[in-house]
Amino acid sequence: MALLLFRISRGSYRHPWRVLSAWLLLLAVALGVGVAAGGTLKESFAIPGTQSQAALDRLGEVFPEAAGASASIVVVTPAGDSVDDEPYRSAIDAASERIGELDGVSQALSPFSEYATDAVSDDAEAGIIRVQFDGTSEDISDELIADVTEAGTSLEDSGLQVGFDGQIFQNLEYGLTPTEIVGVVFAAIVLLVAFGSVLAAGLPLVSAIVGVGVTMGGILFAAKFVVVSSATPLLAVMIGLAVGIDYALFVVSRHRTQLANGMDAEESTATAVGTAGNAVVFAGVTVMIALLGLVIVGIPFLSVMGIAAAAAVFTAMAAVITLVPALLGFAGERMRPKAGSRAFRRETGADAKPTMGRRWVRLVMKAPLPFALAVIAILGTLAIPALDLKLALPSGASEPEDSVAHIGYDLVAEHFGPGANGPLIVMVDITQGDNETLLDDLQLIADRVADVDGVDTVGDPLPNTTVDSAIIQVVPSTGPDDDETLRVVGEIRDLGDELEAETGMATSVTGATAIALDISDRLNQALLPFAAVVVGLSFFLLMMVFRSILVPLKAALSFLLSVFAAFGVVVAIFQWGWFADALHVVPGPIISFMPILLMAIIFGLAMDYEVFLVSGMREAYVRSGDARNAVETGFANGARVVTAAALIMFFVFAAFVPEGAGVIKAIALGLAAGIFFDAFLVRMTLVPAIMAMLGKRAWALPAWLDRILPDLDVEGEHLRHYRQNVEWMREQPDGIAMGELVAGTETTATRPVTGGIERGGVLLVEGQLAERRLLAATLAGRIEPVAGHAHAHGHLTPGDESALMRRVAVVDASTLDARSAELTVGALLEERLRLGRGATGGPVPAALVDQGVAEVSAAAARLRDGSPRVQAGTNLGELRPASRGVALARIALAEDPEVLIVDLGPGAEPEVATRLASSLLAEVSTLASPDTTIVLGLPSGLDPAAIIGKVRRPAGRIRLDAAPGASADASTSTHAATSTHKGALA
């Protein structure tokens, strides 16, 4: 991964205009398509698979007039008056009639209608106009809501107080406010302080903003096809900005450090992305796993939120890997800190005074146990309010106190009881009932429901026109947010089996309150499976990253401290009302999906800091073996950038709190608190304390587990070795070179091989057939070396295996598989020519095939080995070994390889084998271009000078069966093998 990122970023650095243009085009297309698609943001709390949703769906089929959204307009007279008095009654009837005539309103029922139930309060001071709409809440237009509101508000002219109750009057649509810009400004200030450069500070901001713009375009486009809540894009903006700035910060910070220490700008950019960017990728994947884990819950609107937020993280990662290197390419040397500046002294370690991070970690490590206990005590105390956590969906009670929805909610609760704000609907399937006792049975059901403790009133059963279903309205004595209401719903549902046994009619409970309760119940049930899946996957990912069991276990468990402390802060402010006025908060239950959403996001971001901070410790430990010093070194190197990253996230999230609305306000506060606790208390205090106490045990991993776990190399060790090999390669011949190369597997491998040949030369490789094949497979990129390194025409192994596979051809002259033996020379040539021309090369001209066949035929004729005359239709199986080897070599050369490896096969009599090798090499050398390097695999004991014969190419010799350290003859060493005559091998 590190090497792949190194190459991608180097390409971006070299072609900045192409990359920038591609991103700007993507941004324009995403926003353009998103806006043009015309998708709208809607609120939908549908929850498939629950009784309430199934009943609501059936209600839409059998009671279409009652299945749409509903609302209540509550009117209250001055104290002592009655709504039945004039002019109140006439005004109320007129307003009801006016609302009922609106397009999109199914009916508006006056409190004085004969069909109205419990629509006038006991003291007659209040009445409710019940409005039924044709469509669901997401189908109702803003214009219709405005018309209903205007008609209801007109009753104030008659001296009535008016309130509006129902989901359509709640402000569930959230947008960006100026305070969010303040968060970005604070982030810019943190970046400026961290880098000491306006240019360096601006790059992460540009990258994050472009990434967020692309994500927003995608969300708007998706809104055309799926229901996307208005909270979704805001959540994506929050997370996209936070991680986008943070991820770019890590890369730019590493780049500046390397520049200050004298590294070339291009090399530094690629290395920074290959190391810090590698950590970014795995941290981002952890965040995405946590966010995509929300799909497990099975609630559509929450799944969309998780997917959108994960897309924002993915876009941020992509921007860091490609856009940031391109921007660094534009900046070039201007990113290098000026010699003598504060930034230069800090990055080079020229300041004799220890950094604040180093001083802090030394203090923690002097008394790790007290610091660890102090952190646990602080966060444990902050988490205490979380024990009183109460969850609910948004209602009028959670709206601002001066809003029409909150006023209406309070008026209904005051005059009709809190339960009137969330009536339940009992749905009855009467198809299996007894027609003769139908009405009595329905009344029996209503009476039994009325007997449930906590039920205030029960309406008369109302059958539909086709007499296959009936509904009964039930008003509990407690509000929709009350735990007692949940118990009432449960008891009514528990009656279902008993009532069905007595009447034959199945019952179910639905309504907005029942749906809200089912959502809360579904979320509670999903919390543990969600946590198990997300934490489990991340645990294994971190185990692969850190090659440890205790480190990822510590990371996962310490995260719980952060998240529960964040829950405690949210409960204290949003539920208990602490600082409510200052933050414009209406105290009440917490939004139902806040805990699981907060857990997903904080876990992902917490693992970010874990990866960035502890990977430095791991890198220091791998290099020094001193566990205690590794904690200090890794922490000191990462503390400043992690501090800056945490402050940026904190400010971005906190900016959504003061003026944010409803859902976003609580989530933003929880995220800001969680990030602060996790970064500064857990990762920067508890983690070094625990790591210091664990010592070397922190990095312990059973050998069997170490063997089976993939090596993700977050520290960039493989990249460091690759760059060292690049430096080694520059001092070697440009054809093939091997440095202590061990080819094969851990159980079967060659001895270390050193030697090579310049480009266009011939390298004879002598040894056992199995060893030669292992070496050929290694040089061709089919397998990675067990140890050591090699290059072929500038492509290294390990590292460039895919390039080697395209540029190195391998021919075994001794064996043919069944398919090749049956194929003709012409067919194989055409196939290889087609592969060499690529997917867009078009058909292969017959002349090229004929030319290749003619060359093979001429070579075979010169060999005189008894093979038949080679034609296009000649099967390879008909040819003798020498002619077959030439044919296979020419077929391989059709793909224009840079290196051709030909193996002679098993050993024969030395004289025979020498003649065969000499003839084969002479013909292959003629067929191959002068720049093609040829490797010829031979049995041991042959005469190399005789084999080379009159071949006019540089020549070298490798002996795989030689003693260690003598794989290349002194007379045929890499540097000596430059002669063009056979004396070089004498």
Side-chain angles (χ1 to χ4, degrees), residues 777-977:
T778 303
L779 291 176
R782 272 64 168 180
I783 58 175
E784 289 191 9
V786 176
H789 45 265
H791 90 86
H793 282 227
H795 303 290
L796 282 163
T797 181
D800 298 334
E801 280 73 23
S802 60
L804 287 170
M805 290 179 69
R806 294 192 302 270
R807 292 170 172 83
V808 179
V810 179
V811 171
D812 191 333
S814 64
T815 59
L816 277 179
D817 57 70
R819 175 179 177 274
S820 297
E822 295 177 358
L823 289 176
T824 64
V825 173
L828 280 170
L829 264 172
E830 184 178 3
E831 180 183 275
R832 293 303 180 91
L833 284 166
R834 185 168 57 252
L835 290 173
R837 294 167 70 87
T840 59
V844 177
L848 285 179
V849 178
D850 293 342
Q851 179 185 342
V853 172
E855 291 174 355
V856 173
S857 181
R862 288 192 294 270
L863 289 172
R864 298 179 181 178
D865 62 350
S867 295
R869 182 172 177 271
V870 178
Q871 296 178 328
T874 303
N875 289 334
L876 285 175
E878 301 174 20
L879 302 179
R880 305 281 291 177
S883 294
R884 185 168 62 233
V886 169
L888 288 171
R890 179 60 183 86
I891 290 167
L893 288 169
E895 292 187 64
D896 197 22
E898 296 177 14
V899 176
L900 176 63
I901 301 177
V902 181
D903 198 278
L904 201 62
E909 291 293 330
E911 269 189 51
V912 175
T914 299
R915 286 198 306 270
L916 176 61
S918 177
S919 301
L920 182 59
L921 178 60
E923 296 300 335
V924 169
S925 179
T926 302
L927 292 172
S929 73
D931 288 334
T932 302
T933 301
I934 301 171
V935 178
L936 182 61
L938 306 165
S940 301
L942 304 187
D943 181 359
I947 293 172
I948 291 296
K950 296 181 180 179
V951 172
R952 309 286 295 178
R953 287 175 180 261
R957 180 187 183 194
I958 295 290
R959 291 181 295 160
L960 298 179
D961 52 1
S967 59
D969 276 344
S971 61
T972 60
S973 66
T974 300
H975 299 293

